[in-house]
Amino acid sequence: QVQLVESGGGLVQPGGSLRLSCTVSGSMFSINAMSWYRQAPEKQRELVAAVTSGGSTNYADSVRGRFTISRDNALNTLYLQMNSLKPEDTAVYHCELRGYPTDGPTWYDYWGPGTQVTVAS
């Protein structure tokens, strides 16, 4: 059973920084990609950043240049370094893993419960 748990959220002033972590437990046959999503109150969940198994990264326009996604495969951990935070970055941040739990043909999405990030003075 694959489980994802996020940590590192909190309250930060505008212009500050936070680093989110997502620890993965359980085994996967292969991982296609891992991502960070966020959902603000009364808004749809949106993709923040993603990293593929090959190391390619993708960012939402609203965070490009401020956020950095990275993976530590040895620790089974995904990170999101968030700098120059703005009030509009306030949301619950979820990590997501897409991959194959076995060598069969079916891939799955796994989600963590999320961590709250609040940017306010």
Side-chain angles (χ1 to χ4, degrees):
Q1 180 76 17
V2 174
Q3 291 187 325
L4 284 65
V5 178
E6 303 93 340
S7 62
L11 173 63
V12 63
Q13 292 186 342
S17 298
L18 284 175
R19 189 175 82 153
L20 305 183
S21 300
C22 172
T23 301
V24 181
S25 60
S27 63
M28 292 287 293
F29 179 75
S30 68
I31 296 174
N32 288 3
M34 294 190 70
S35 305
W36 287 97
Y37 283 77
R38 67 186 180 187
Q39 187 164 19
E42 301 182 357
K43 291 189 177 180
Q44 288 189 331
R45 184 175 293 184
E46 63 171 344
L47 175 66
V48 176
V51 58
T52 68
S53 58
S56 298
T57 57
N58 184 42
Y59 296 91
D61 289 342
S62 59
V63 307
R64 188 174 291 112
R66 299 188 297 123
F67 291 10
T68 302
I69 189 171
S70 61
R71 284 174 60 178
D72 186 327
N73 293 329
L75 296 177
N76 291 333
T77 303
L78 179 72
Y79 300 102
L80 184 68
Q81 178 67 43
M82 305 186 295
N83 299 328
S84 302
L85 283 160
K86 304 175 181 180
E88 51 264 41
D89 294 318
T90 295
V92 177
Y93 284 70
H94 299 267
C95 67
E96 181 252 3
L97 181 158
R98 174 167 293 183
Y100 295 81
T102 69
D103 61 354
T106 306
W107 54 265
Y108 295 89
D109 284 330
Y110 300 88
W111 293 88
T115 185
Q116 176 70 46
V117 171
T118 302
V119 185
S121 4

